[in-house]
Amino acid sequence: ALEIAAYIIVCVLWTFGCSLSRSSPRHGYTATVAGFSIYIMVVGTLESFGKKSSSEVVFQRMQEQFAGAVIYVTVEMLLWRKSARTIVDEQQIKILTAIKDSIVEATEP
C-alpha cells in the first residue's frame, strides 16, 4: 500500500510539473505527452499479473522507451537525413502569400 501511495504522489507531482509547461510554444507538446506517459508506465503491474513488481515494469518500460528513441534518432540522422520540413515550409509560405495576394486583390477598390 505504501508503494502505491508513493507512485500516486510521484504521478500527481509529475503531472502538475508537466502541466505548467503545456503552454510553452516550444515544449508544450512534449510536456503534454510526458504528463500522461507516466501513467502508461506505472500501469504495467496490471499487465504482468503480479509476476513483476511495479518498479521492475517501470524500469523495463523506461529501457524500451530509451531504446526506441535511440533507434529513431539513429535512423533519422543516418539513413534519412533529408527532411521534408523545408519543402513543407516553402509550400506553406507560397500558399500564405497567395492567400494574402488574393485578399489584397479582393479588397482593392
Side-chain angles (χ1 to χ4, degrees):
L2 185 59
E3 185 179 2
I4 292 174
Y7 277 120
I8 290 171
I9 291 169
V10 169
C11 288
V12 168
L13 291 174
W14 177 260
T15 305
F16 176 74
C18 290
S19 69
L20 296 176
S21 300
R22 283 189 64 210
S23 62
S24 166
R26 184 171 182 166
H27 303 293
Y29 177 73
T30 303
T32 301
V33 172
F36 68 75
S37 293
I38 191 169
Y39 298 100
I40 295 170
M41 295 173 76
V42 170
V43 171
T45 54
L46 298 175
E47 297 171 356
S48 64
F49 299 104
K51 298 174 187 170
K52 296 180 181 178
S53 70
S54 299
S55 57
E56 290 174 328
V57 172
V58 170
F59 186 70
Q60 180 183 358
R61 288 192 177 190
M62 288 172 64
Q63 289 175 322
E64 292 168 353
Q65 293 290 326
F66 182 76
V70 168
I71 291 168
Y72 174 80
V73 169
T74 302
V75 168
E76 181 76 19
M77 297 305 244
L78 296 179
L79 297 179
W80 289 295
R81 293 189 64 129
K82 186 174 182 179
S83 174
R85 182 172 291 148
T86 55
I87 297 169
V88 170
D89 288 346
E90 290 170 3
Q91 286 299 108
Q92 187 175 19
I93 289 171
K94 286 180 185 177
I95 291 169
L96 291 173
T97 302
I99 291 171
K100 182 189 82 156
D101 293 342
S102 296
I103 291 172
V104 168
E105 184 180 330
T107 57
E108 286 181 346

